[in-house]
Amino acid sequence: MNILNYILNKIRMDKNNKLIIDKTSSLKGCNIRIRGENNFVEFKENTSFRNTKIEVRGKNCTLIVGRGTGTGDDTYISVRENGTKIIIGENCMFSRNSKIMTSDGHDILTNGVRINGAKDIVIGNNVWITDNVTVLKGVTVGDGAVLAINSTVTKDVPSNSIVAGNPARVVKEEIEWKETLTF
């Protein structure tokens, strides 16, 4: 890993964990905390993360960020509880204030039995997560999907669709999107 990533970011990691940041990736102002053991975090080629908080907490947790994926300011990614995973595909775009979380953070019990266990999250390729979107545990987002502003995603999202609302629901299907750069 490039020493510049340590200088430009706050990275704290317990022993027996692995962090791989491809040399072509750019992380600036990120706060990465990996607690527990046997956790694995990888940023593949040409990722661009800025002012993002990443929390991995447990045993055997995995976070993989696909090639060409980037975040806006104040994105929060949390992989918590043993064996959970967040897999993010290639060429995804996260706008500001996005939250992706495998766990509720606290146990909820009924008659002494936990009812809110952690679950994996999978985000396909070329997904646009717009401002203030929250993706909760157990969700799979299909390729080419758009998660509309201020949405809370609690169920799977079909490929090439737009979801909106709280909770989010499909509002348009058979779409495609592409990033427009203006100067």
Side-chain angles (χ1 to χ4, degrees), residues 105-147:
H106 299 287
D107 296 355
I108 299 174
L109 308 172
T110 298
N111 298 320
V113 177
R114 184 170 181 206
I115 61 171
N116 69 327
K119 296 179 183 170
D120 298 342
I121 296 172
V122 178
I123 298 173
N125 297 318
N126 197 43
V127 171
W128 179 15
I129 299 177
T130 64
D131 288 9
N132 300 313
V133 168
T134 300
V135 178
L136 296 177
K137 63 186 183 179
V139 169
T140 296
V141 178
D143 294 344
V146 175
L147 312 183

Side-chain angles (χ1 to χ4, degrees), residues 10-45:
K10 184 175 184 179
I11 298 174
R12 294 172 294 162
M13 186 167 57
D14 292 351
K15 293 179 183 178
N16 299 319
N17 292 296
K18 188 167 188 175
L19 171 63
I20 299 172
I21 302 173
D22 186 85
K23 64 183 178 184
T24 61
S25 291
S26 171
L27 279 68
K28 294 180 184 167
C30 294
N31 182 347
I32 300 172
R33 179 70 168 119
I34 305 171
R35 295 177 58 192
E37 58 186 48
N38 297 321
N39 298 307
F40 178 75
V41 176
E42 180 177 17
F43 294 87
K44 296 198 179 218
E45 302 87 6

Side-chain angles (χ1 to χ4, degrees), residues 136-165:
L136 296 177
K137 63 186 183 179
V139 169
T140 296
V141 178
D143 294 344
V146 175
L147 312 183
I149 195 165
N150 295 323
S151 294
T152 300
V153 183
T154 61
K155 295 187 184 325
D156 291 352
V157 177
S159 294
N160 302 104
S161 65
I162 301 173
V163 296

Side-chain angles (χ1 to χ4, degrees), residues 91-106:
N91 302 312
C92 293
M93 185 167 64
F94 289 62
S95 295
R96 294 165 296 276
N97 300 312
S98 302
K99 292 179 180 63
I100 314 296
M101 302 178 296
T102 61
S103 171
D104 297 331
H106 299 287

